[in-house]
Amino acid sequence: MSKLSDHQAYDLLGHEIRVVLDTGDSRKDATTSGRLMTRDPVCQALVLAKIGEKNGTIETIEWIPSCSVKSVESISEPTQEINEEIDRYFAEEVGGANESDEDIQKRCLKVVNYLKSHHLDVVENPNGTWIIGQCVRFEAPYHVANLYCDQPIVLKRITKLLEGIQ
């Protein structure tokens, strides 16, 4: 499989994949492998986790720009332990999985009130997500890392605004 569609990337999450890289030299290919953690929705870069054989924890993270990807192939299916390790990694990066629902809701209200005080339109969806300015989606657990927008400039400005309170 050469370039990944959104659907293919979603299906490969957690899988161990081998990526053939474009080295710029048609006589020589390089490869890398790891567990697919995510794919950047804007630049289509792949994020791979290198997981240790002995301890089963993430040792390094590798970011591969889409222009360097020649092809991608699945090596193995994800296991429950691998999925839990990737979830644990993201929970640590975003603020911990040990937060209570009450703490999450307090942070949500603080952020929403802060945005409204800056005269931004903030609307709650029935599924618990918030829409900021009709284009930025804000999801639980309501950290800066939980902002999503297809417009990088808007996302950057909202992120910068919220970094002032967190």
Side-chain angles (χ1 to χ4, degrees), residues 33-148:
S33 61
R35 297 284 174 170
L36 181 61
M37 293 179 72
T38 189
R39 184 174 78 158
D40 186 299
V42 176
C43 68
Q44 309 300 316
L46 301 176
V47 179
L48 300 182
K50 304 286 185 158
I51 298 181
E53 297 280 330
K54 295 178 183 176
N55 57 9
T57 60
I58 295 174
E59 294 179 349
T60 60
I61 302 294
E62 186 175 2
W63 182 83
I64 304 169
S66 63
C67 61
S68 297
V69 176
K70 269 189 169 177
S71 66
V72 175
E73 68 176 297
S74 177
I75 298 172
S76 67
E77 298 278 326
T79 62
Q80 183 65 28
E81 293 80 25
I82 295 297
N83 287 337
E84 288 172 0
E85 177 60 25
I86 291 172
D87 289 345
R88 222 181 349 268
Y89 177 84
F90 280 124
E92 289 170 7
E93 287 295 309
V94 173
N98 299 331
E99 291 182 296
S100 69
D101 288 339
E102 184 179 322
D103 290 340
I104 292 171
Q105 287 306 316
K106 282 182 184 177
R107 182 175 41 256
C108 174
L109 290 175
K110 180 180 177 181
V111 169
V112 168
N113 289 334
Y114 185 77
L115 291 168
K116 287 181 178 181
S117 74
H118 282 82
H119 307 288
L120 289 169
D121 181 35
V122 183
V123 178
E124 184 175 14
N125 282 344
N127 63 358
T129 63
W130 293 83
I131 304 298
I132 305 164
Q134 300 177 354
C135 65
V136 180
R137 191 174 76 247
F138 192 43
E139 297 179 347
Y142 308 111
H143 291 280
V144 173
N146 302 111
L147 291 167
Y148 305 96

